[in-house]
Amino acid sequence: MAGDEEGGLETHFVDLANGLAETGDGVAVIAHERYRDRFGPGIEFHSLDLTRGRRNPWLRHKLRRLIEGVQPDVVHAHAGKAAALVARIDPPTRTVGTVHGRKKDLSSYRRFDAVIGVSRGVLAGLDHPAKTIVYNGVRPAPPTLSGTELRRRFDIDARAPVAMAVGRLVPVKGYNHLIDLWDAGLGHLLIVGDGPERRRLETLAKGKPVTLAGHRGDVRSYMGAADLMVFSSQREGLSYALAEALLAGLPVVSTPVPGAEELLPPSHLAPIGALKRTIAANLADPVAARDRMRAVFAWAAETLTVDRMVRATRLVYEAGGKQARVACSD
């Protein structure tokens, strides 16, 4: 793995590698040591700290030697840094790159045999003859809390609507703008996640009906008990929290970022300046909000699963003419 963080990219990478191994493919993973325990026993794990600069000659040499040792049929690079490294190494086998977020520079991906995007929006700027959309897949949802239990757990007024925002507390998520616009007329905002922006956001939230709950391993159990999921991001690929909310049947309001803009009804999308009005309209009539999203919920139940993600990715590998032994580099 090119980084050492926790997020949707890492979740996708682990679920895909484990899913491919479960189908019977040989899978070799090149990743930071911290992720070793997340892969099944059938996966060949190679520890490599890819957090060094992508132009580091030692890093490129080490990665090349590891890939040569695996002798894969397919090399699959996830996200920009891995794509740049693999493109520079140019292994003599089929190469696949996955774009996980909207980027200005996608030039590295032009050297790959096939490119996957986690949404249409992330591929918008790439001219490539073999582009495919494979949406993120998520595991089945755990049992959900009741609305009463959710409110009791976070000391929220029993009569207040509850909106959730889920993700790392980083500037690109726009949580500062979301907290700024929030007031008691909207109900209570529950932000689940952690990150470097936490102290700043806690200061902004003082005196407001906003709870910063930190990282919660059981966050998916909250989704069936909330009234709305809100995204204020400046950019996304396809948020895992969005996929999880759709599978939980939770209505979503979002800024028009990739993933959300191609899945949500127009009345559930708004730029940050109009987001408050859109949130209020959806919270005012939650039954109508769910009705507008029923077709999206049904589509998500069929599409946003790990099994489908694995099958669709494998079809991209098989287009190269061989059963896959895959070296995954993120």
Side-chain angles (χ1 to χ4, degrees):
M1 294 207 176
D4 58 353
E5 298 182 350
E6 300 294 337
L9 169 60
E10 291 75 23
T11 299
H12 176 110
F13 184 79
V14 171
D15 284 346
L16 177 61
N18 285 328
L20 288 165
E22 289 166 7
T23 69
D25 286 318
V27 179
V29 165
I30 300 169
H32 193 286
E33 179 65 25
R34 66 175 293 181
Y35 299 102
R36 179 185 292 271
D37 294 341
R38 305 193 191 181
F39 299 98
I43 290 179
E44 183 182 324
F45 185 89
H46 298 274
S47 178
L48 180 63
D49 183 359
L50 290 168
T51 59
R52 298 168 184 258
R54 65 186 67 186
R55 293 182 177 86
N56 184 293
W58 177 89
L59 179 60
R60 291 204 303 262
H61 171 74
K62 184 67 174 177
L63 182 60
R64 180 185 293 109
R65 292 293 299 273
L66 285 173
I67 292 174
E68 288 173 351
V70 172
Q71 296 185 328
D73 300 306
V74 178
V75 175
H76 189 171
H78 289 256
K81 185 174 183 179
L85 285 165
V86 171
R88 190 66 180 262
I89 292 169
D90 193 22
T93 188
R94 181 167 174 77
T95 54
V96 177
T98 290
V99 185
H100 285 265
R102 181 173 277 170
K103 303 291 183 183
K104 291 182 179 178
D105 184 7
L106 296 172
S107 58
S108 294
Y109 291 96
R110 297 193 185 104
R111 301 181 67 175
F112 284 75
D113 296 304
V115 180
I116 295 171
V118 298
S119 67
R120 290 188 181 88
V122 301
L123 293 180
L126 178 64
D127 181 16
H128 195 285
K131 296 190 297 186
T132 305
I133 308 301
V134 178
Y135 291 104
N136 290 331
V138 298
R139 299 289 180 184
T144 185
L145 296 178
S146 68
T148 299
E149 173 61 21
L150 179 67
R151 287 163 174 80
R152 186 198 63 77
R153 185 171 294 190
F154 294 101
D155 196 23
I156 298 171
D157 187 324
R159 298 162 296 178
V162 177
M164 291 181 63
V166 178
R168 274 182 53 77
L169 306 185
V170 291
V172 72
K173 298 293 186 179
Y175 290 131
N176 57 320
H177 300 300
L178 186 57
I179 292 171
D180 281 344
L181 66 81
W182 207 268
D183 58 37
L186 295 174
H188 200 96
L189 175 62
L190 179 64
I191 301 177
V192 182
D194 213 338
E197 287 266 284
R198 180 160 186 172
R199 287 189 178 180
R200 177 190 178 211
L201 297 177
E202 286 175 337
T203 300
L204 291 175
K206 284 183 179 179
K208 286 177 170 279
V210 176
T211 298
L212 279 88
H215 174 73
R216 299 275 175 159
D218 60 345
V219 62
R220 293 187 67 190
S221 68
Y222 305 168
M223 293 182 182
D227 299 293
L228 192 70
M229 179 73 81
V230 179
F231 294 95
S232 51
S233 300
Q234 299 169 25
R235 63 178 186 270
E236 289 280 359
L238 175 66
S239 164
Y240 261 80
L242 170 61
E244 291 164 352
L246 296 180
L247 288 178
L250 177 60
V252 178
V253 164
S254 177
T255 47
V257 291
E261 65 183 349
E262 64 201 62
L263 300 181
L264 300 182
S267 57
H268 289 239
L269 293 165
I272 196 68
L275 195 60
K276 182 176 183 177
R277 183 168 62 251
T278 304
I279 292 168
N282 280 276
L283 285 174
D285 193 344
V287 174
R290 290 180 188 277
D291 285 343
R292 284 191 295 271
M293 292 200 60
R294 289 197 188 281
V296 183
F297 294 152
W299 173 88
E302 292 289 328
T303 307
L304 302 182
T305 67
V306 172
D307 285 347
R308 192 178 189 283
M309 178 179 76
V310 170
R311 291 197 308 271
T313 303
R314 210 170 176 284
L315 288 175
V316 177
Y317 297 162
E318 290 171 346
K322 293 182 178 182
Q323 182 173 1
R325 174 175 173 78
V326 188
C328 293
S329 176
D330 183 2

